[in-house]
Amino acid sequence: MPRRLAESDATFNTNEKRLLLQNVIGIDNTGKTFPSMQLFHLSESARAFRFIQHIWSTYIFYDCPGPAVWCGDFAAGLSSAIAQLAAEDAAAASKTAEEAASKGKEVSRAKSPDTLQMDDPLPTAPLYEADSQTIIVDWVAQVEETAPAHDGSRIILQRCEWHAVEAIKKKLIKKGYSKEKREKLVDLIWKYIKAPDFKTLNTARQKLKDNLRDAEKEYFTSYYEPKEQSFCRAFTRRYPNLGVHSTQRNERYHFTASEGLSKNLPVQRAIEIICKRINYLGKEYDTRVNKDRITTPRLIDKDFFQLCIRRFTHFCLEMAMVELAQAKRMLDDLENKEEGFEFDPEVGCQTSCELPLQQGIPCKCWMAHFYLNDLPLPPNLFDPRWLLDGPAVLHGNWEMKLDNPDYNQSTILEERYASDRFAGRGAQLIIDTALLMAEKHKNLPPEEAAKFALTFKEFSDKLANRQDEKLKSREAIPARLPDAQLPPKLKFGPGRKRALTGREAADQQEADEARARRKAERLAQQAQEAEDLIGEAAQLRSQFQAEIAAAYFNQVTGLQGASDNEDEWVDIDDFPFNSESLKAPSKARNPRIQLIPVSKSQAIWDAMQLKPENTQVETEYQYSSQQKSQIPSIDGGYILSDLESQEQEQLEPQFLLNDAAESNSSERSDLEEDYIANVVDGNDYNSSSLTNPFFDLFPTIAKICSPSPANTTAIAPPSPPTRPQRMRKSTAKQASQNRRDEEARLQKEAKRKKKPILEDISQLMDLPFRSSQ
C-alpha cells in the first residue's frame, strides 16, 4: 500500500493477564477499516511503539515507504517514541556532518529522486543535537511532531482532536470552573481546533486565552500551543491522512477486535480467536471489491469518467463526483465575474486543495482544466491505492502528475512481486549478499582478504549448523501454541449469587470427601454383614437338613423294630411316635428356627419332597416370616418349613430307599428287589405280592407325582413392607366438585333403572324373498 495513514489505540479486558490489545488500523480503497497489526503489551510505553516501528521497517515496509501519518491519542509513550526517533536521526545527521567536515566535503541530507514533492506544512526545524543517552520527552515540538522513516522520509505525528478537547475540559473541571463557564469555553475550544486556516486559528486562539484565568492560560500556552500542529485542522487538513482527524474509527473497531474475547480468556486462546478472524479478512474484502467491478455509480458522469469507470472503487469515484460538481460551480462563478481560469498541468494545483493532499484524488482545479477542454479525466492522476487491480506496494512516494504510469489490468501479476526480497523464499537475498561479500573481498589488501574469507566461511558454517540444530529440535518438539490452561470453574453455594472463595471451596471439598469416605465405609460394613448372614444361614441350613435326616432314619428304624416284634400289621397313622426322639436339636442351638410337630404321614411325605437345588436362603426377614406360617400338629412329629420343603421336592424315591436301607443292611437286598419289582413298576404297595410291611412307608410313582391333599394350598411368600401413602385433604373447591360428580352419577344410575328393558331385536327377521326377475 502507498504511504498514507496508520491509526493506533489500545483496548482492555481481552485476556486473563490483563494485557492491553494494541490495534493498528488503516483504511482500504473501499473506505472500510482493516487491521494492519495487533499485539498484546503491558502498557502504551515508548518501548511498545518502538517495537511497532521495528516490525514495520523489518517485515512490512522494508522496500517501500511506510505510513506518512501516525494518528494516536495523547499517550506519553507515543510522544516519547517519536521524540526518540527524532533525536536518533538528529544525532546520526550531526555525526555524518562532522565526518564530512573533517574530510572537507559538504554534506547534505540525501533524498530519493522520487520523494513526494509536497509543501511541508510543518516549519523546517534546525537539527537538534542530542546524544544517545538523552530522551526527549515532550515540549520540543519541532522534534517530536515528525520522526524519520527507514527510507529517509518523515512520519508525521497526528493527535486526536477529541482527546485534546476532553483533556482541556478535565483540566477546567479540576480548576473549579462553573458549568456555564465550561460550556462556553468548550465551544471556543472547538472553534479553535476546527479553524480551517491560519488566520482563523490565530483569532480563535486569542479569544480562548482571553476567557481563561492566568494559571490555565499559562498551562495552555506551554503545553497545547506547541502541539497545535498535531491536532488543529489548519494543519491536519494538509496531511496525507485520508481525511482522519481523530481516533474515532479505531475506537469503533475495538468492538470488532474484542468480539469473542473476555477478561477470563487465556492469552493463547485469545490469540487463536484473533488468528481465525484474520483468515476471513481477505474474503470480506473480495466481496466488497467484486461488487464494484460489475456495477457503476448511478449519478456518475460517464463521459468525463469514461476512462475511470470499473477501474477505481465506488468510494473513490463518489468523492471525485463531488469534486467535479464543485469544479463546475467554480467555473460558473468565474464566468459570472467575467474572469478566466488559468491552470498549468505541468505545475499542478497551487491552492493546496485538501483532496489531493489527503486522498490522492484530483481536485477541482485538475477537473476544471479537463472539463473546459472537453477531455476525459486520465486515470494516472489518481493514487494507485484506489485501483481495483493496482500494485500491492509502491516503492517510492507518489506525486500527482500527468506522466505517472498507468497501472491497467494488463499488468502481469508476477511483476508486482519482482522486487520482493522474500520472493522465492529469499533465495535472491542470499545471492545478492554473497555477491556483495565477493565484491568486498576483491577490494581488500592481501593480508586482510584471507582473514575476511575465513571469517565469512566460519560464519556461514556456524549459521548452517545452528539451523540444522533448530530443525532437529523442531522435529522433536514441533512449534505450536502452548496447551490451553483451563481456569478453575467457579463454585456457587445454594441460594447464593456470590461464588465461593478459595477457602470456602476447599472446606466444601473436604466435607464432600469425608462424607464420601463415611458412605463407602458404611456400604462396606453392610456388605460384610450380609455376607456373614448368608454364611450363617447356609451353616444353619446344612445342620437343619442333617438333623431332619437323622430324625427321619430314627423314626424309620423304630417302625422296623416294632413291626418285627408284632404278629400283625400296624397302621403307620396309628403308630405311637416318640416325640422325644424326633425333637429337633437345632431348636436349642438357634431359637429363630423352630420345627412344628405334625402328623407322622405328613412328616414322611414332606421328607420325600426334598429339592436339593432350591437351597437358596432369601433374606432373614423372609426366612423368619416363613417360620411363622407353620402350623403345629396335635399328635407329635415335626413338619418342615415351606422353604425346607421346597428344597426336598426333587429327591427321588430310589434315593430315599437307599438311605433308608443303609440302616439295615441285612434286609437291603430283599427290600430293594421287592420295591423295584412292584413300586417302581407301578404296582400298589397293598397288593398281595408285597410281603414286607415296610413298603407302607413308600408310595408309588403316581402318588409321588400327584399333589398332596395337605399341600394343595401353597403359601405365598410374604410381600415386602410398603410405605403408607399420604392422603391429601381435599379443598373446598375439590369437595364441591366431587359432590357434584357423585350427584351426576346417581342421577345417571336412576335414569338407567327407570328405562324399560327392550326386547332383543338383533335377530334377523324373515323377510319375503323378492326377486328382480
Side-chain angles (χ1 to χ4, degrees):
M1 294 293 293
R3 60 185 308 232
R4 282 297 171 185
L5 171 73
E7 188 175 327
S8 63
D9 195 14
T11 184
F12 50 91
N13 285 341
T14 58
N15 55 87
E16 64 179 3
K17 299 296 183 182
R18 301 299 189 266
L19 298 176
L20 295 178
L21 177 60
Q22 186 77 28
N23 296 315
V24 182
I25 66 170
I27 303 175
D28 59 12
N29 55 0
T30 62
K32 301 297 183 181
T33 304
F34 73 93
S36 61
M37 184 183 298
Q38 290 178 292
L39 69 152
F40 288 105
H41 56 85
L42 296 176
S43 63
E44 293 183 289
S45 60
R47 181 181 179 184
F49 290 106
R50 292 296 298 272
F51 176 75
I52 295 174
Q53 294 166 355
H54 172 70
I55 296 298
W56 277 350
S57 60
T58 306
Y59 299 102
I60 302 177
F61 304 112
Y62 52 87
D63 60 344
C64 61
V69 177
W70 193 347
C71 182
D73 52 13
F74 280 76
L78 179 59
S79 302
S80 178
I82 297 296
Q84 289 177 16
L85 283 174
E88 292 174 1
D89 180 63
S94 176
K95 184 178 180 180
T96 305
E98 290 177 359
E99 292 177 355
S102 64
K103 295 180 181 180
K105 297 181 180 180
E106 183 179 359
V107 179
S108 60
R109 300 185 65 182
K111 292 187 178 181
S112 178
D114 52 357
T115 305
L116 179 61
Q117 302 295 329
M118 182 186 70
D119 293 337
D120 194 352
L122 297 178
T124 304
L127 295 177
Y128 184 83
E129 297 182 0
D131 55 7
S132 60
Q133 302 298 325
T134 303
I135 299 177
I136 301 176
V137 181
D138 200 12
W139 67 274
V140 185
Q142 288 84 357
V143 175
E144 72 163 4
E145 300 303 332
T146 60
H150 62 281
D151 59 341
S153 59
R154 308 294 296 181
I155 298 178
I156 303 172
L157 175 61
Q158 179 179 337
R159 293 183 174 91
C160 175
E161 59 185 17
W162 181 83
H163 282 86
V165 174
E166 291 296 320
I168 298 175
K169 187 191 299 184
K170 183 178 179 181
K171 186 72 173 181
L172 297 178
I173 294 175
K174 185 176 180 181
K175 294 299 181 181
Y177 283 79
S178 62
K179 183 177 180 180
E180 294 78 6
K181 184 68 173 178
R182 290 200 308 270
E183 292 177 354
K184 181 180 179 181
L185 289 174
V186 168
D187 293 339
L188 294 176
I189 294 170
W190 278 114
K191 291 179 180 179
Y192 158 70
I193 291 177
K194 293 184 177 181
D197 50 24
F198 297 109
K199 182 179 179 180
T200 309
L201 177 66
N202 294 331
T203 304
R205 185 196 307 119
Q206 187 61 38
K207 189 174 181 180
L208 177 60
K209 288 182 179 180
D210 295 340
N211 288 273
L212 292 175
R213 300 170 187 170
D214 293 339
E216 287 73 38
K217 185 185 300 183
E218 182 179 358
Y219 166 74
F220 178 81
T221 304
S222 62
Y223 187 79
Y224 286 99
E225 191 170 349
K227 296 182 176 65
E228 64 184 12
Q229 298 175 356
S230 63
F231 63 88
C232 290
R233 291 197 180 184
F235 297 92
T236 59
R237 62 188 290 268
R238 300 175 178 230
Y239 295 164
N241 55 12
L242 298 176
V244 172
H245 300 287
S246 66
T247 58
Q248 180 181 2
R249 185 182 288 266
N250 204 338
E251 296 286 350
R252 179 62 184 85
Y253 186 75
H254 288 337
F255 294 97
T256 304
S258 302
E259 185 178 358
L261 305 179
S262 66
K263 61 182 179 180
N264 299 322
L265 204 65
V267 178
Q268 64 272 10
R269 179 58 182 161
I271 295 175
E272 292 177 0
I273 294 175
I274 293 174
C275 293
K276 290 181 181 179
R277 188 185 300 123
I278 291 175
N279 295 332
Y280 293 98
L281 294 179
K283 297 180 181 179
E284 294 175 358
Y285 175 75
D286 290 340
T287 302
R288 294 195 303 267
V289 170
N290 291 335
K291 292 181 180 179
D292 295 348
R293 297 179 192 273
I294 60 177
T295 59
T296 57
R298 296 179 58 188
L299 304 177
I300 193 172
D301 189 346
K302 295 183 179 180
D303 295 332
F304 187 74
F305 293 101
Q306 61 180 338
L307 302 177
C308 303
I309 293 176
R310 296 190 180 180
R311 292 194 59 188
F312 297 95
T313 60
H314 289 186
F315 181 76
C316 172
L317 294 176
E318 288 172 358
M319 289 189 290
M321 289 160 51
V322 175
E323 198 69 13
L324 177 61
Q326 294 181 1
K328 294 178 180 180
R329 191 180 301 112
M330 181 186 65
L331 293 176
D332 293 340
D333 294 341
L334 293 177
E335 185 177 356
N336 294 334
K337 296 178 181 179
E338 298 181 355
E339 296 179 0
F341 175 72
E342 296 181 0
F343 181 80
D344 187 3
E346 298 295 334
V347 179
C349 179
Q350 299 298 318
T351 58
S352 299
C353 297
E354 296 182 16
L355 198 60
L357 299 177
Q358 290 186 347
Q359 307 285 353
I361 299 175
C363 62
K364 58 185 178 181
C365 302
W366 284 93
M367 292 187 180
H369 171 72
F370 288 96
Y371 185 78
L372 285 176
N373 296 318
D374 197 14
L375 295 173
L377 186 66
N380 55 1
L381 292 179
F382 288 82
D383 195 322
R385 76 183 313 274
W386 303 112
L387 288 169
L388 293 174
D389 296 307
V393 295
L394 289 181
H395 302 286
N397 294 320
W398 179 84
E399 182 183 358
M400 187 176 294
K401 53 186 179 181
L402 291 175
D403 58 349
N404 284 331
D406 185 9
Y407 300 96
N408 52 23
Q409 296 182 2
S410 61
T411 304
I412 303 176
L413 296 178
E414 286 76 7
E415 294 181 357
R416 299 183 182 183
Y417 309 100
S419 61
D420 191 355
R421 67 179 182 180
F422 293 106
R425 304 194 303 174
Q428 188 62 36
L429 183 62
I430 297 176
I431 295 173
D432 295 342
T433 305
L435 291 176
L436 291 176
M437 293 296 102
E439 189 67 24
K440 186 71 173 178
H441 180 265
K442 291 179 181 179
N443 300 328
L444 293 175
E447 63 274 6
E448 296 292 336
K451 294 181 180 180
F452 181 81
L454 183 60
T455 304
F456 182 75
K457 184 180 182 305
E458 291 178 355
F459 179 76
S460 60
D461 293 342
K462 184 178 180 180
L463 180 62
N465 294 333
R466 185 184 301 173
Q467 187 63 36
D468 293 339
E469 294 177 358
K470 185 182 296 185
L471 291 177
K472 290 181 181 179
S473 63
R474 288 290 177 84
E475 292 178 359
I477 305 177
R480 62 181 182 85
L481 290 174
D483 296 335
Q485 299 177 359
L486 299 177
K489 293 184 178 180
L490 298 178
K491 295 183 178 180
F492 295 87
R496 298 179 59 180
K497 295 182 178 180
R498 179 182 64 81
L500 299 178
T501 61
R503 177 63 180 274
E504 294 174 345
D507 294 342
Q508 183 176 357
Q509 182 179 2
E510 184 179 0
D512 294 340
E513 292 176 355
R515 193 178 298 109
R517 185 171 58 255
R518 292 194 300 270
K519 182 178 180 181
E521 294 176 356
R522 185 169 61 254
L523 293 177
Q525 183 179 2
Q526 292 177 358
Q528 185 65 30
E529 292 178 357
E531 186 177 356
D532 296 342
L533 183 61
I534 292 174
E536 183 180 356
Q539 183 179 4
L540 292 177
R541 183 171 60 254
S542 62
Q543 295 178 0
F544 184 77
Q545 292 175 353
E547 293 170 359
I548 290 297
Y552 172 75
F553 290 121
N554 293 334
Q555 181 181 3
V556 170
T557 305
L559 290 176
Q560 182 66 27
S563 61
D564 293 339
N565 297 329
E566 294 181 359
D567 297 333
E568 60 181 1
W569 293 95
V570 179
D571 191 7
I572 192 172
D573 294 335
D574 298 332
F575 186 80
F577 282 84
N578 188 3
S579 60
E580 295 296 332
S581 62
L582 295 178
K583 184 179 294 184
S586 62
K587 181 177 179 181
R589 298 177 185 176
N590 192 353
R592 293 182 297 176
I593 301 177
Q594 299 178 3
L595 296 178
I596 309 300
V598 293
S599 63
K600 297 180 292 296
S601 61
Q602 186 66 32
I604 297 172
W605 173 256
D606 291 338
M608 297 176 65
Q609 302 297 322
L610 294 176
K611 290 185 178 180
E613 66 272 17
N614 296 338
T615 57
Q616 180 180 2
V617 178
E618 307 258 339
T619 58
E620 182 179 355
Y621 170 77
Q622 296 176 352
Y623 190 80
S624 61
S625 62
Q626 291 175 358
Q627 304 303 322
K628 295 178 181 179
S629 62
Q630 296 172 350
I631 304 174
S633 178
I634 301 174
D635 52 350
Y638 292 88
I639 186 173
L640 306 179
S641 63
D642 294 343
L643 180 63
E644 300 299 333
S645 300
Q646 293 177 3
E647 294 174 352
Q648 300 177 7
E649 285 178 1
Q650 293 185 354
L651 289 179
E652 296 178 357
Q654 184 66 33
F655 171 77
L656 298 176
L657 177 63
N658 295 338
D659 289 345
E662 286 179 355
S663 59
N664 193 353
S665 58
S666 60
E667 299 178 355
R668 177 178 178 181
S669 59
D670 297 345
L671 291 174
E672 185 175 358
E673 292 178 359
D674 294 338
Y675 185 83
I676 293 174
N678 296 280
V679 179
V680 178
D681 292 341
N683 298 327
D684 190 49
Y685 65 89
N686 290 327
S687 63
S688 59
S689 60
L690 298 179
T691 57
N692 197 322
F694 181 72
F695 291 122
D696 293 341
L697 300 176
F698 302 100
T700 62
I701 298 298
K703 291 184 179 181
I704 291 175
C705 296
S706 62
S708 174
N711 292 340
T712 53
T713 304
I715 301 176
S719 59
T722 58
R723 183 177 180 181
Q725 297 182 356
R726 295 178 57 188
M727 300 298 294
R728 181 176 294 179
K729 184 179 181 181
S730 59
T731 60
K733 183 177 180 180
Q734 293 175 349
S736 176
Q737 183 67 29
N738 296 336
R739 185 175 64 254
R740 284 195 290 269
D741 293 344
E742 184 66 20
E743 292 177 357
R745 186 182 64 78
L746 294 177
Q747 292 178 2
K748 189 174 181 181
E749 291 180 357
K751 288 181 181 180
R752 189 182 296 110
K753 290 179 181 180
K754 292 180 181 179
K755 239 182 221 186
I757 301 176
L758 301 178
E759 296 180 359
D760 188 8
I761 58 175
S762 61
Q763 298 180 359
L764 295 177
M765 299 177 65
D766 296 334
L767 298 177
F769 177 74
R770 179 178 296 177
S771 176
S772 60
Q773 299 291 332

